[in-house]
Amino acid sequence: MLRHVTAGIDGSPESLAAVHWAAREAIRRGAALCLVHAWEWHPRPAAPVPADMSERARAEDLPERAANSMRAAHPDLQVIGQALADSPVSALLKAAEQAELLVLGSRGLGGVAGFVMGSVSQRVVARAPCPVVLVRAGGSTADEHFSAPDGISPDEIPGIPYRDVVLGLDTGGPCDELIEFAFDAAGRRGSSLRVIHAFSRPPDFAVADSLVPVSSPELRAEREHAVAAALRPWCEKFPEVAVTESVAEGRAAGKLIGASAGAALLVMGRRIRESRLGTHLGPVAHAALHHAPCPVAVVPHA
């Protein structure tokens, strides 16, 4: 089966940003790029369809034009354009079953406002079987790299070192898929990996009718040991990746959003679990997806 990175496209600026990011990622992985456009037949389309073109032909034209553009920009990249007659959520979830990675666009508001994540993106991120990356509108190749010296040409930007990859790590359960994705992302970029673990001090506990305070230094040391233990086998597998660990008391979402400023990619996990209301994103992932200024990868794991 052909290895590929898939990007959802609907003609919006945010989806075009996702296509460009997905093309660069496909090149980093040595994979093909698949562009998927979902459309549903309507007796009265919202946008007028030219008289000489059917609604299906119009839908098929969008991914093919985008594919031609990517072929021109990256001659060595294999690009496939697909138009799927299905609802956007269903089409993207089906495409995700065959993809190494699914890339979607999110409309950025700028500044700390971050992403606007639509209902389609939110439902796909919460249910996709493969990692999903959300990319802000207006993002560019230069955003992934450290600041270039004055006078450098756009063609030289890929030679500038990549910004760090940031991993949000919760040691409360197995998360090998998440850690491996982050190390692999940093390794492909030749960048450093910053691992962020945030914790909250539990309430004081009762002993013999009195409250005994929980020691923050002892708790921090315990968490630092857990983080180091979780990372150790991956540091051995990816010796070329420089790793820094940050263990701090506080809200995880705030720590991750702060760390993502100036990062090439923020990597977060999504535990695969079903509730009475179906699959869902946790509050930390939800906050980071809305407010992190860099692309965000959400990795499903056990």
Side-chain angles (χ1 to χ4, degrees), residues 84-150:
L84 303 180
D86 205 342
S87 69
V89 172
S90 178
L92 291 170
L93 288 175
K94 288 177 183 176
E97 293 176 358
Q98 307 298 327
E100 289 189 9
L101 185 68
L102 177 64
V103 186
L104 304 175
S106 285
R107 179 162 51 89
L109 295 178
V112 296
F115 289 112
V116 171
M117 186 169 61
S119 61
V120 170
S121 295
Q122 187 162 319
R123 283 181 285 169
V124 172
V125 171
R127 295 164 56 190
C130 71
V132 181
V133 176
L134 268 72
V135 180
R136 291 182 63 149
S140 68
T141 304
D143 296 332
E144 296 183 287
H145 299 265
F146 287 107
S147 299
D150 292 338

Side-chain angles (χ1 to χ4, degrees), residues 31-71:
L33 172 64
C34 181
L35 306 180
V36 173
H37 172 57
W39 68 283
E40 295 178 285
W41 183 85
H42 297 286
R44 295 181 179 179
V49 178
D52 61 343
M53 181 180 288
S54 67
E55 192 172 352
R56 174 183 288 275
R58 181 175 180 272
E60 292 174 344
D61 181 62
L62 175 61
E64 189 55 35
R65 282 190 288 111
N68 287 335
S69 176
M70 290 300 100
R71 293 183 188 114

